Amino acid sequence: MKRPILIHPDPRLKKTCEPVTEITPDLAALAEDMLETMYDAPGIGLAAPQIGVMRRVIVLDCAKAPDEPRPLVMINPEVTWASEDLSSYEEGCLSIPEQYAEVARPARVRVAWTALDGSAQEEEFSDLWATCVQHEIDHLNGKLFIDFLGPLKRQMITRKMEKLKRERARQG
């Protein structure tokens, strides 16, 4: 089931999420909904707080055609290592539609997480996958990509989002 995506500014997007303590059928349903919502948007990553669920769950799939899709569900993901070398990508966010900015992050990261089957996972990511997983983990800590920008650019984007939300509210 597709879920509505929260649009910045929303106080829920600035909160730190609670760890998941138990893997339940509800959690599997949440992950399924998140993947459907992400693919429909379309996006390459989505964090639970973006749909108003304050739990440490992210989904991502940075595979590009002709590669097969590679949907990942990460529960309680954590960066365990980050490279010193940085890479810059023009990032966007489903909660900040049609706004993009260059953000520099570690070029490679190792991430540990729990899978839906309860198994412990760890993998090293690079390129777009590294950027995406860091961006989504930031959401779990109440941080948005615009928080990496200067105050003027951040305020300009926030004002655009406030205007967008007013327009959408008027359209009902």
Side-chain angles (χ1 to χ4, degrees):
M1 177 180 79
K2 278 188 348 204
R3 308 250 194 131
I5 296 172
L6 300 179
I7 302 297
H8 166 77
D10 186 299
R12 291 169 287 185
L13 295 173
K14 301 303 288 177
K15 287 189 167 44
T16 300
C17 294
E18 293 294 318
V20 173
T21 55
E22 187 181 0
I23 296 174
T24 62
D26 284 351
L27 194 67
L30 170 67
E32 190 74 27
D33 288 355
M34 287 174 65
L35 283 167
E36 185 179 339
T37 302
M38 177 191 79
Y39 285 128
D40 180 72
I44 59 171
L46 186 71
Q50 291 181 273
I51 58 168
V53 177
M54 306 313 291
R55 310 285 300 283
R56 296 187 78 78
V57 179
I58 63 173
V59 298
L60 55 154
D61 185 351
C62 300
K64 296 227 186 310
D67 294 341
E68 286 294 309
R70 187 183 175 218
L72 283 179
V73 175
M74 297 183 174
I75 300 163
N76 300 329
E78 188 180 331
V79 174
T80 58
W81 171 83
S83 65
E84 286 185 23
D85 54 314
L86 302 177
S87 67
S88 283
Y89 273 94
E90 187 175 65
E91 293 189 27
C93 181
L94 297 177
S95 291
I96 310 173
E98 298 175 26
Q99 302 299 312
Y100 303 92
E102 287 283 323
V103 177
R105 297 179 182 272
R108 295 183 326 282
V109 290
R110 192 170 305 117
V111 178
W113 73 94
T114 303
L116 274 174
D117 65 4
S119 64
Q121 303 287 318
E122 190 166 26
E123 186 174 333
E124 189 172 309
F125 296 95
S126 60
D127 305 315
L128 183 58
W129 284 92
T131 295
C132 184
V133 75
Q134 291 173 83
H135 175 116
E136 299 310 328
I137 290 171
D138 278 350
H139 275 297
L140 304 180
N141 298 317
K143 191 164 188 148
L144 301 172
F145 85 90
I146 60 171
D147 295 331
F148 291 94
L149 308 179
L152 289 177
K153 182 132 176 107
R154 189 169 53 245
Q155 287 168 356
M156 183 185 77
I157 290 173
T158 298
R159 281 197 295 274
K160 285 181 182 175
M161 292 302 97
E162 289 166 342
K163 182 179 178 202
L164 175 71
K165 287 172 83 168
R166 284 193 304 272
E167 289 169 358
R168 286 185 177 179
R170 270 198 297 274
Q171 292 166 358

